Amino acid sequence: MLFSEVTSEESYIVTGYEAGRVGINQVAHVQSLIVRPHDLRTAWPVQTVAELEVEHLQTILDSPPEVLLIGTGEVQEFPDRAVWRHLRSQGLGVEIMDTAAACRTYNLIMAEGRDVAAALIINGSPN
């Protein structure tokens, strides 16, 4: 599914999503990743929500965005309570949703000019 066309070479936008694949600036990615408007970190090592640890999000927390989206794969799942508590204590908005919804939401928040980061689990499956 195509979301939008690339309108700027200077920003990373989600251009499409389907199960097992996320398009960033019209390049398909099949491994989990972290995307921000001016930063793309591919090959993020998280495969499922059950694996998610605070350390996996440290690069985001070192320079916290206004909103952090966590895309949990094909279905919405919540991370371990300790991870969730830590994220909430950081003073940033955190939204947990399936990866398709996180992709759409990332583009909307970015289009508003707000600082957003999306940690997207690709090929994540429910436990």
Side-chain angles (χ1 to χ4, degrees), residues 77-127:
E77 291 184 78
F78 287 87
D80 179 76
R81 285 181 182 256
V83 173
W84 181 240
R85 274 193 300 270
H86 182 78
L87 292 173
R88 289 182 48 202
S89 75
Q90 299 301 300
L92 63 149
V94 178
E95 297 291 335
I96 311 293
M97 56 192 70
D98 65 68
T99 297
C103 289
R104 292 187 301 269
T105 304
Y106 169 83
N107 281 351
L108 291 170
I109 294 172
M110 190 181 122
E112 294 173 348
R114 296 167 62 198
D115 188 12
V116 61
L120 304 174
I121 297 174
I122 302 174
N123 289 333
S125 60
N127 294 339

Side-chain angles (χ1 to χ4, degrees), residues 11-72:
S11 295
Y12 292 105
I13 64 171
V14 177
T15 51
Y17 172 82
E18 61 184 46
R21 180 185 335 226
V22 172
I24 304 290
N25 290 12
Q26 298 178 337
V27 174
H29 296 271
V30 296
Q31 292 183 323
S32 299
L33 56 88
I34 296 173
V35 63
R36 294 181 85 159
H38 303 291
D39 188 28
L40 177 63
R41 304 207 178 216
T42 58
W44 187 47
V46 179
Q47 300 282 321
T48 66
V49 175
E51 296 174 14
L52 184 61
E53 303 279 338
V54 171
E55 297 80 38
H56 295 124
L57 300 168
Q58 196 58 52
T59 60
I60 296 170
L61 298 175
D62 287 343
S63 177
E66 182 181 346
V67 178
L68 168 60
L69 306 171
I70 300 178
T72 61

